Amino acid sequence: MAIRTLILSGGGGRGAFHIGVYKYLCEAAKAGVDEAHRGAWDPEIIVGTSIGAVNGAAIAQGLPPDLLERYWKDLQEKDVEGLPPGMNVLARWASNAVYRRILQEKLPQVPRAIASSQDPPQTWPLLPLLPRALSKRLIGRWANLLDTGPLKQTLRHKWGISAHRLTDSASTLLISATNVQTGELTIFSNKPVRRRDTGEQREDVQVGIDIDRILASCSIPLVYPWTPIGDACFWDGAVVANTPLGPALDVAAERYGLEEPMEAVVVLMTPWWEKGGVPASRKRLPGDFGEAITWVLDWALLASFRADLALIRAFNRQAELDRGEGREPRYRIVQPIIVAPDEFLPVARIIDYDEPESADLIDLGYRAAQAAFQKAFPG
């Protein structure tokens, strides 16, 4: 039986898409697929980046899809984010003028007692012609547009995420973050991860996952504050790798060896077409500035996955060659099942957490997973 791995990419409020995918995977009677895949598809390894870390932690902790669907439909922006406490009157007014157009509502200022932001030493000179003291009074001191203190409260008190439950999970959970000062990728894991070749603990993996480390994976640069952990500070893992596969392969090698194949369900927030397979109807240019931003961001996030996929396919060819020639396998055969939307999801959805849109994304994720499974495992 294949090792089952679920990889959840980043995308903020677009993460409701993950829940629809997981809802389909958990179905006990899937239509249109082979007998081996009709039942519930339970992941043994979960990899999450950014909002994928949030959803991955909830899945690893054992939250069922119907409960996760309800949690997502109940989410509001104030449960996830707010204006940083160091933002003063003029900056608050200007920010909410923008957010009202995107979110159709005004964001509250996060109380300093629960805020994740720290005031920088100097005021950002948005008003360079004014005296510094007046600019400080009007603008305040802040280094990020939004604060994630409410998300921390939501994960702890509403979703019940805890380090203890994650440690006790039967699944291995891996979440990614980016070291702010070095730009290096860091993986947090609820269980030790050793290298395939030497058996030594991976230096880029830190054992233990708690809410602060989940928050670190979600810390979108400039939008949200970086998250301090120990002597380092971290930004969103998607800055470096939105779908890191290497640590998952090491977990599988340590636990199962290399004989068993792996099924890796990779959930993207970006349209996916194989090279040369773009339909004619999609061959157009962005229609406006907002679309251009969406395309640039999504293609940048997809770049690391393209590189990983090329490596997987090269390793698969070598693994098949080893087996065909009777040699001991050096690589595992990995079957990627890519689940992605057919169209771009607007970049504004990254900070937008509204029930109607979340419900639509859950339905979209469900249908995308169903189509991907019926293509990969036809009945």
Side-chain angles (χ1 to χ4, degrees):
M1 183 176 177
I3 303 162
R4 294 175 171 179
T5 298
L6 177 62
I7 300 171
L8 303 173
S9 65
R14 301 188 290 188
F17 186 85
H18 294 159
I19 307 307
V21 175
Y22 187 55
K23 182 178 177 180
Y24 174 78
L25 294 179
C26 289
E27 280 196 346
K30 300 180 180 68
V33 298
D34 62 28
E35 186 176 354
H37 294 88
R38 286 175 195 162
W41 192 95
D42 297 317
E44 298 157 86
I45 302 169
I46 303 166
V47 183
T49 299
S50 196
I51 197 63
V54 171
N55 288 332
I59 292 169
Q61 195 165 294
L63 298 185
D66 56 341
L67 184 58
L68 279 174
E69 182 174 9
R70 192 177 82 217
Y71 282 168
W72 264 92
K73 288 181 177 179
D74 287 346
L75 270 183
Q76 300 177 34
E77 281 82 12
K78 66 180 181 180
D79 298 317
V80 177
E81 61 211 1
L83 302 182
M87 189 176 279
N88 285 349
V89 57
L90 184 58
R92 291 199 302 268
W93 173 83
S95 296
N96 267 319
V98 174
Y99 296 141
R100 273 195 295 264
R101 293 180 64 88
I102 298 173
L103 308 174
Q104 285 74 55
E105 65 177 273
K106 181 180 178 181
L107 288 177
Q109 192 164 28
V110 177
R112 203 169 283 278
I114 67 165
S116 55
S117 303
Q118 298 182 9
D119 295 347
Q122 295 184 0
T123 302
W124 189 27
L126 286 175
L127 302 175
L129 299 180
L130 294 180
R132 182 173 294 275
L134 181 57
S135 180
K136 178 180 176 181
R137 184 178 302 173
L138 295 175
I139 301 300
R141 287 188 292 137
W142 41 277
N144 41 275
L145 298 173
L146 293 169
D147 186 278
T148 50
L151 175 59
K152 189 172 183 178
Q153 298 294 305
T154 295
L155 294 181
R156 176 175 290 126
H157 300 300
K158 293 185 180 180
W159 288 33
I161 302 297
S162 79
H164 176 72
R165 293 192 186 100
L166 291 173
T167 299
D168 290 344
S169 171
S171 302
T172 298
L173 174 65
L174 309 167
I175 64 175
S176 64
T178 302
N179 187 304
V180 174
Q181 293 166 297
T182 68
E184 294 174 313
L185 180 69
T186 296
I187 301 293
F188 301 118
S189 174
N190 65 339
K191 302 179 188 301
V193 181
R194 305 184 185 281
R195 292 192 176 277
R196 295 190 298 271
D197 49 356
T198 66
E200 297 177 352
Q201 171 70 30
R202 283 184 62 131
E203 295 177 356
D204 60 341
V205 176
Q206 297 185 23
V207 180
I209 294 179
D210 57 16
I211 290 178
D212 283 336
R213 290 185 168 188
I214 295 170
L215 210 65
S217 186
C218 296
S219 299
I220 303 171
L222 306 182
V223 178
Y224 299 134
W226 55 67
T227 301
I229 297 175
D231 296 330
C233 292
F234 294 93
W235 269 329
D236 194 316
V239 172
V240 178
N242 200 28
T243 52
L245 293 173
L249 294 174
D250 284 330
V251 168
E254 178 191 2
R255 192 176 290 182
Y256 307 103
L258 295 173
E259 289 292 344
E260 292 188 58
M262 174 186 285
E263 293 174 0
V265 173
V266 183
V267 187
L268 304 175
M269 304 290 190
T270 303
W272 173 261
W273 305 293
E274 292 290 346
K275 188 174 182 180
V278 181
S281 61
R282 303 295 196 275
K283 291 183 178 179
R284 63 179 183 87
L285 295 173
D288 56 29
F289 186 71
E291 276 199 348
I293 293 175
T294 299
W295 289 32
V296 167
L297 175 64
D298 282 351
W299 292 149
L301 292 175
L302 198 60
S304 63
F305 174 67
R306 292 186 191 277
D308 282 346
L309 185 61
L311 281 175
I312 284 174
R313 288 174 172 167
F315 291 155
N316 282 349
R317 289 192 292 271
Q318 187 61 55
E320 290 168 355
L321 185 62
D322 286 346
R323 287 164 172 79
E325 296 181 355
R327 293 195 297 264
E328 182 178 350
R330 291 170 289 173
Y331 304 101
R332 179 184 315 285
I333 294 177
V334 178
Q335 180 182 7
I337 302 99
I338 301 169
V339 182
D342 292 330
E343 302 289 348
F344 286 95
L345 304 177
V347 69
R349 283 290 303 160
I350 289 176
I351 61 170
D352 192 1
Y353 293 81
D354 279 332
E355 193 279 329
E357 287 80 5
S358 292
D360 289 343
L361 285 172
I362 291 170
D363 290 341
L364 187 65
Y366 180 94
R367 295 195 303 271
Q370 184 180 52
F373 256 58
Q374 289 176 351
K375 179 180 179 181
F377 311 112

